[in-house]
Amino acid sequence: DVFAYIAVNKRMGTIHCHIYHVPKGSGNRAYAAINNAFKMLAADEKARGSNPFAVTDPKREAAPDLLFRHQIHRADLTAIQQIGAGQFGAVYIATHRILQRAVKLLRNAASTADKDEFTREAETMLVLDHPNLVKMIGVAVQQKPWLCVLEYMKYGDLKSFLSTCREKKIPLRYGEMIYFGEQLASGCGYLASQRMIHMDLAARNALVTDNNIVKVADFGLTRPMEPGVDYLLLREPMKLALKWMAPEGMDKKYFSEKSDVWSFGVMLWEIASYGANPYSQIKTQEIQLKVREGLRLSKPPGCSDEFYDVMNTCWEQDPDNRPNFRLLEMRLSGIREANPTPSRDVGLVVSS
């Protein structure tokens, strides 16, 4: 079967048609699931009227202590426009006390599992503070719809940003690519210093804003390391992206800073390939065996040897032989300083 959908990116001024070959009989199921999700979003919007942040159920719910201490008044939020829809519901640009913010809504019909994940991600973000991690501003979770208020990243996710560069034939300068990687390594290094494992590093989960600033986002799968050790043995079922996963994660459910480093290497490859899909010619179910046998992503066209070498150090089979994020940040910083690049705001060029 073939399944397709059209995505409109208002921020970048692009329209993409995504076409997938799916197992026979699953195309209609995918359509039904997505159609049902849009119907639920439409029902939520109708219940809220012209104000998407308005309370739809006056009943108050108890909030975990950390979230309660970071409550904001939804009356201080003014929606500007919807910019997307995530796992939990719609995402808006809004003003909050003059500043622009991104606001994620949890749909009214959310499952208990979705509520738990929404809460866990908010609690994780509230304890993190680094210039290259997307900042949580506050929440409103005592009445429906639940809201999560984040700093607004003007140019959206890094994967779409890179794809737009390719489509509009706007090549990134070498120093700009390296600077993206350096910032992401810095944010990931801080995360590791807090004994956290992101577990879903990919270009789609990083966001871009003014002055070529990029930040790690989407902490829904982030988990703390186990007490007394520097790893996590995953015991809960979790949907993870195999093409970004380290072999020890696929084989043994073993995750650490070094498994995040592997994923970071794939993210660098995405930067150098302008948002291409890794292992695009290989079926997902074959990835685990191929990687175990030594398959690695090939050097993207135009990529320098030294940048590709950084990627390859992230893909060492033995986690102990991979660099940590601090070393990666230092190495990328050294490459950038040795290759000075004229200053420009790439997002401004791409979105014009």
Side-chain angles (χ1 to χ4, degrees):
D1 286 359
V2 174
F3 173 73
Y5 69 91
I6 294 173
V8 179
N9 188 329
K10 294 181 180 179
R11 285 187 281 194
M12 292 290 104
T14 59
I15 300 175
H16 293 136
C17 179
H18 300 267
I19 302 173
Y20 297 91
H21 289 280
V22 295
K24 189 173 182 180
S26 63
N28 286 336
R29 291 197 299 274
Y31 168 78
I34 291 176
N35 191 44
N36 186 52
F38 276 110
K39 284 181 178 178
M40 287 193 293
L41 283 172
D44 282 356
E45 288 176 4
K46 184 176 180 180
R48 289 190 294 270
S50 60
N51 179 6
F53 310 138
V55 171
T56 56
D57 185 346
K59 184 177 69 175
R60 287 189 172 271
E61 302 177 72
D65 182 61
L66 180 61
L67 299 191
F68 182 79
R69 287 187 280 113
H70 288 84
Q71 289 271 98
I72 63 166
H73 295 292
R74 63 181 71 221
D76 292 337
L77 293 166
T78 302
I80 298 174
Q81 71 177 62
Q82 184 174 339
I83 56 173
Q87 173 185 349
F88 302 116
V91 182
Y92 285 82
I93 304 175
T95 55
H96 176 245
R97 297 176 180 173
I98 304 176
L99 297 174
Q100 282 196 343
R101 302 298 189 192
V103 182
K104 288 184 178 181
L105 279 71
L106 180 66
R107 61 183 182 275
N108 286 339
S111 65
T112 300
D114 281 344
K115 288 182 178 180
D116 289 345
E117 187 169 335
F118 187 94
T119 300
R120 180 168 50 231
E121 181 173 15
E123 290 180 322
T124 297
M125 294 185 73
L126 284 168
V127 300
L128 300 174
D129 185 15
H130 187 275
N132 295 114
L133 301 183
V134 171
K135 180 72 176 173
M136 168 80 72
I137 307 303
V139 297
V141 294
Q142 288 191 288
Q143 292 174 294
K144 293 180 180 178
W146 288 8
L147 310 178
C148 175
V149 183
L150 309 168
E151 66 174 312
Y152 175 55
M153 301 292 286
K154 186 174 181 179
Y155 299 120
D157 74 274
L158 179 59
K159 181 177 176 63
S160 298
F161 182 87
L162 293 165
S163 298
T164 303
C165 287
R166 183 182 67 245
E167 291 162 11
K168 292 188 174 182
K169 295 181 170 55
I170 301 171
L172 290 174
R173 295 165 180 165
Y174 186 43
E176 292 164 348
M177 287 189 177
I178 299 299
Y179 186 45
F180 282 157
E182 180 187 345
Q183 293 177 80
L184 293 168
S186 182
C188 291
Y190 167 80
L191 199 62
S193 75
Q194 302 303 299
R195 297 184 51 77
M196 294 277 192
I197 308 168
H198 189 280
M199 297 181 64
D200 198 18
L201 290 175
R204 64 182 177 275
N205 291 333
L207 298 174
V208 185
T209 194
D210 296 309
N211 301 315
N212 305 337
I213 300 300
V214 63
K215 305 190 181 193
V216 179
D218 287 88
F219 299 91
L221 301 182
T222 301
R223 296 291 186 272
M225 298 177 189
E226 295 181 7
V229 294
D230 58 359
Y231 62 85
L232 167 69
L233 190 60
L234 190 63
R235 297 177 175 86
E236 60 182 300
M238 191 180 288
K239 293 180 180 179
L240 298 170
L242 281 178
K243 292 185 177 183
W244 283 260
M245 280 178 66
E248 67 272 13
M250 290 188 278
D251 292 341
K252 303 175 183 177
K253 309 300 181 189
Y254 178 98
F255 295 89
S256 66
E257 177 184 1
K258 298 301 183 71
S259 59
D260 269 357
V261 163
W262 178 290
S263 304
F264 174 77
V266 180
M267 190 156 51
L268 293 183
W269 182 90
E270 291 181 275
I271 292 172
S273 62
Y274 290 89
N277 294 319
Y279 308 108
S280 59
Q281 303 302 313
I282 301 173
K283 294 179 180 178
T284 300
Q285 58 267 33
E286 297 175 356
I287 286 295
Q288 186 169 353
L289 177 60
K290 296 284 189 182
V291 168
R292 189 189 299 134
E293 291 175 343
L295 177 70
R296 298 295 183 266
L297 291 162
S298 58
K299 186 169 76 169
C303 178
S304 72
D305 289 340
E306 64 180 349
F307 195 21
Y308 185 56
D309 184 60
V310 175
M311 300 174 206
N312 272 305
T313 64
C314 298
W315 301 329
E316 288 284 350
Q317 195 78 12
D318 185 343
D320 291 338
N321 292 335
R322 298 172 206 155
N324 60 29
F325 281 114
R326 178 61 182 146
L327 289 174
L328 285 165
E329 181 187 358
M330 291 172 62
R331 184 169 181 188
L332 290 166
S333 177
I335 294 173
R336 180 175 58 84
E337 290 173 3
N339 295 272
T341 300
S343 178
R344 65 170 179 170
D345 186 335
V346 184
L348 199 59
V349 177
V350 173
S351 61
S352 62

